Amino acid sequence: SHVHASIVQAGGITISREDVVKEDDPTNNVPDSVFWKLGLQLHRRDDHPLGILKNEIYKFFEDKFPGKYQKFDDLSPIVSVTSNFDDVLVPPDHVSRRYNDTYYINSDTVLRTHTSAHQAQKLREGCTHFLVTGDVYRRDSIDATHYPVFHQMEGFRVFSPAEWDASGMDGTSFALQDLKETLEGLAKRLFGDVETRWVDTYFPFTNPSIELEIFFQGNWLEVLGCGVTEPAILENNGRAGTVAWAFGLGLERLAMVLFDIPDIRLFWSSDLRFTSQFKAGQLGIKFKPFSKFPPCYKDISFWISDSFTENNLCEVVRGIAGDLAEEVKLIDSFTNKKGMTSNCFRIAYRSMERSLTDDEINNLQARVREEVPGKLQVTLR
Ligand code: FA5
Ligand code: MG
């Protein structure tokens, strides 16, 4: 149903479908549906919730440190494995590198899985204070808060020894304190008086590493990861002897809270009932859902093989149903006496914009049943 020519513009370059989707290349796992997202750059639309949020965060840093932070929001999402993983010290055997989790164009090139992919390059270019915003890509499950494409903003700040010496603190404690203050200030600016908490975590590229959670509608929601940059990253990229902090925040997560957006698929909607509710520069808007259309559930059961993964199933379902697939959920699993394991998945089909017909859903489910055995090496029951 695509009427455009098969090229997109992103990161100041023209990307053609042939460069990104290679169905007969086993080192490539990018589906057509993901290629079409490459040039959309939702974060660069001033009247889109993600663009409104990005601009507000820019303003926070501009007010606090006028002219200090360099801002980048048009770097190509196609990056080397080196930039995405090695440069930020992700170990060679780390799970995030697997074909099951990352979109590979070939064995050396990926769709960035986080904006941290640009840290080393920006340091080498001499940047010391910068914000990098962009679309990021991950193979993942399907539900209201997960989508294979989402958006992050990376923040990075380098301190020279003179800055922490004067405080009487060591460099790491000084950077950590500044990082926390900065991000608590940002949360206050975006949400007013909210309850926040810091949770210890692990990232290969920071130590210590922490996550910020916001108490929202009765739950703690993780909105960003951050920490004090591993010295090796600074040493390898021309900044030996300095200390830095870095953060990566999830724009959809923050925007869902800010604007009351209930489903992550809505960010991609071109339905005027969605897009017309947001205005450039206006943060106080609450999204009014148009009537919620009923979901339709279809189950599929099959005997799995060792190579089966839920992410691969989700990719097949997305490839066929696109954004009509709301959720894919394992509802039953058992192993028989012969050691064969059967899984039953429940697929929820629902449009955000209209009612689906029985025919339409039956047709989608029939295509899922047709493609699943061949693509996933499983046997339907
Ligand atoms: C990272 O991606 C790190 N690069 C963040 C970072 C940068 C840490 C710099 C330290 C220094 P993580 O995978 O947790 O971390 O993602 C960061 C944020 O992106 C999350 O807190 C969340 O807000 C958002 N996020 C992660 N996965 C998803 C998803 N599937 N859908 C929507 N938002 C997501
Ligand atoms: Mg996390």
Side-chain angles (χ1 to χ4, degrees):
S1 71
H2 297 297
V3 290
H4 350 250
S6 44
I7 56 167
V8 297
Q9 306 285 333
I13 56 167
T14 302
I15 303 164
S16 72
R17 184 181 174 280
E18 298 73 67
D19 296 336
V20 175
V21 182
K22 298 165 199 237
E23 268 140 33
D24 46 12
D25 177 350
T27 70
N28 179 292
N29 62 355
V30 183
D32 222 26
S33 54
V34 163
F35 167 73
W36 293 106
K37 302 288 195 255
L38 281 171
L40 294 180
Q41 298 190 309
L42 301 179
H43 60 286
R44 300 184 73 210
R45 300 183 187 174
D46 290 337
D47 56 0
H48 186 279
L50 298 178
I52 298 169
L53 177 58
K54 180 198 76 176
N55 288 331
E56 189 64 22
I57 302 171
Y58 277 5
K59 265 198 256 164
F60 169 80
F61 280 96
E62 207 44 50
D63 288 351
K64 232 178 146 203
F65 311 98
K68 250 320 200 185
Y69 280 81
Q70 287 178 276
K71 304 173 188 81
F72 304 92
D73 72 353
D74 189 22
L75 301 176
S76 173
I78 299 175
V79 301
S80 64
V81 166
T82 309
S83 305
N84 197 82
F85 296 120
D86 301 299
D87 282 354
V88 286
L89 315 178
V90 176
D93 55 351
H94 196 266
V95 289
S96 63
R97 294 190 186 235
R98 292 180 311 192
Y99 270 71
N100 188 52
D101 295 69
T102 295
Y103 289 112
Y104 281 82
I105 290 176
N106 55 51
S107 53
D108 302 319
T109 315
V110 297
L111 299 181
R112 65 183 163 212
T113 64
H114 54 178
T115 45
S116 303
H118 300 288
Q119 283 188 6
Q121 169 205 343
K122 287 296 152 202
L123 283 170
R124 288 196 294 272
E125 289 170 11
C127 303
T128 57
H129 297 64
F130 55 89
L131 302 171
V132 175
T133 312
D135 34 322
V136 303
Y137 297 78
R138 293 186 195 177
R139 295 188 87 230
D140 217 329
S141 47
I142 298 183
D143 66 30
T145 59
H146 289 85
Y147 201 81
V149 191
F150 61 99
H151 296 75
Q152 288 187 339
M153 186 189 289
E154 193 85 359
F156 204 97
R157 173 170 183 176
V158 178
F159 297 94
S160 57
E163 290 175 86
W164 70 81
D165 277 350
S167 73
M169 278 188 250
D170 65 276
T172 301
S173 311
F174 181 80
L176 186 63
Q177 179 180 302
D178 186 82
L179 173 66
K180 285 180 167 175
E181 278 171 17
T182 303
L183 292 171
E184 284 166 8
L186 175 62
K188 188 152 266 170
R189 163 90 172 230
L190 294 175
F191 299 102
D193 268 324
V194 284
E195 235 188 303
T196 57
R197 71 176 184 193
W198 291 104
V199 179
D200 289 329
T201 188
Y202 166 80
F203 296 108
F205 27 93
T206 48
N207 185 21
S209 301
I210 49 178
E211 281 169 346
L212 184 67
E213 297 188 341
I214 293 182
F215 197 68
F216 178 69
Q217 293 185 347
N219 291 305
W220 288 102
L221 181 73
E222 178 204 321
V223 294
L224 65 88
C226 65
V228 179
T229 299
E230 281 289 354
I233 295 177
L234 296 164
E235 284 156 19
N236 295 344
N237 297 287
R239 289 282 167 192
T242 63
V243 167
W245 55 238
F247 65 76
L249 53 86
L251 290 182
E252 275 85 351
R253 292 273 172 90
L254 289 170
M256 287 172 94
V257 176
L258 257 183
F259 300 111
D260 271 349
I261 297 171
D263 190 302
I264 200 163
R265 292 175 297 164
L266 278 163
F267 290 102
W268 301 93
S269 175
S270 53
D271 191 314
L272 275 173
R273 288 171 297 176
F274 178 77
T275 57
S276 68
Q277 292 195 33
F278 302 96
K279 303 276 176 301
Q282 292 190 18
L283 228 68
I285 293 166
K286 294 292 174 204
F287 173 64
K288 290 176 218 62
F290 21 105
S291 57
K292 202 159 182 178
F293 299 95
C296 178
Y297 300 100
K298 295 282 174 189
D299 294 351
I300 181 168
S301 300
F302 43 77
W303 300 105
I304 62 171
S305 60
D306 288 345
S307 65
F308 174 79
T309 69
E310 188 173 324
N311 282 358
N312 288 339
L313 172 65
C314 287
E315 195 97 283
V316 172
V317 173
R318 281 253 203 240
I320 293 164
D323 286 358
L324 300 180
E326 176 171 273
E327 188 171 43
V328 176
K329 193 172 165 189
L330 181 66
I331 56 166
D332 187 44
S333 179
F334 69 88
T335 303
N336 71 8
K337 283 185 194 141
K338 291 181 194 157
M340 293 162 70
T341 299
S342 165
N343 280 353
C344 179
F345 284 90
R346 178 158 294 169
I347 305 173
Y349 295 98
R350 189 209 307 252
S351 165
M352 307 298 295
E353 290 150 14
R354 61 193 175 82
S355 281
L356 300 175
T357 65
D358 285 347
D359 272 2
E360 201 173 2
I361 294 163
N362 289 337
N363 185 31
L364 291 173
Q365 182 69 4
R367 285 172 56 203
V368 169
R369 294 182 67 84
E370 213 172 279
E371 284 191 22
V372 156
K375 288 203 166 151
L376 305 180
Q377 277 87 57
V378 302
T379 310
L380 293 184
R381 294 186 52 214

